[in-house]
Amino acid sequence: MNEQHVALWLYNKIKRDIVVNLADAVQSIEETFGKRFTFSFDNGMKAVNKTVAMEFGKLNKDGKIEWNPSEYKWVFKM
């Protein structure tokens, strides 16, 4: 597995589930693909790593998936 696979998994999960919370996504990524695809901020909050985020951005060129920073979640806009 590589960052592209993880990004595609996340992209498909959001399209399927419509709303995906960051914490839930990170936990699933760590359990399914390993912790190397996530990182922790100094405050302990976890996120997808920068390369996964970059690959995800390439998949989301049409912008149908939006990040809601105040609620730490992705939302699929149909």
Side-chain angles (χ1 to χ4, degrees):
M1 288 291 149
N2 62 29
E3 286 83 356
Q4 290 173 327
H5 290 108
V6 176
L8 181 60
W9 174 87
L10 179 59
Y11 181 80
N12 288 332
K13 177 174 180 52
I14 297 165
K15 285 183 75 174
R16 182 186 68 236
D17 296 352
I18 310 300
V19 176
V20 174
N21 179 285
L22 175 63
D24 295 338
V26 167
Q27 181 178 353
S28 293
I29 289 169
E30 288 181 346
E31 291 172 355
T32 306
F33 303 104
K35 291 185 178 185
R36 67 188 177 114
F37 297 107
T38 64
F39 74 97
S40 295
F41 291 99
D42 290 338
N43 65 3
M45 185 175 160
K46 292 185 174 184
V48 297
N49 73 27
K50 291 181 183 184
T51 308
V52 171
M54 185 177 68
E55 293 297 329
F56 178 84
K58 292 177 187 176
L59 294 170
N60 191 35
K61 289 179 190 172
D62 60 6
K64 288 189 176 183
I65 296 174
E66 294 180 356
W67 170 246
N68 181 325
S70 64
E71 297 183 23
Y72 299 102
K73 66 181 179 182
W74 290 276
V75 179
F76 178 58
K77 302 291 184 183
M78 294 198 227

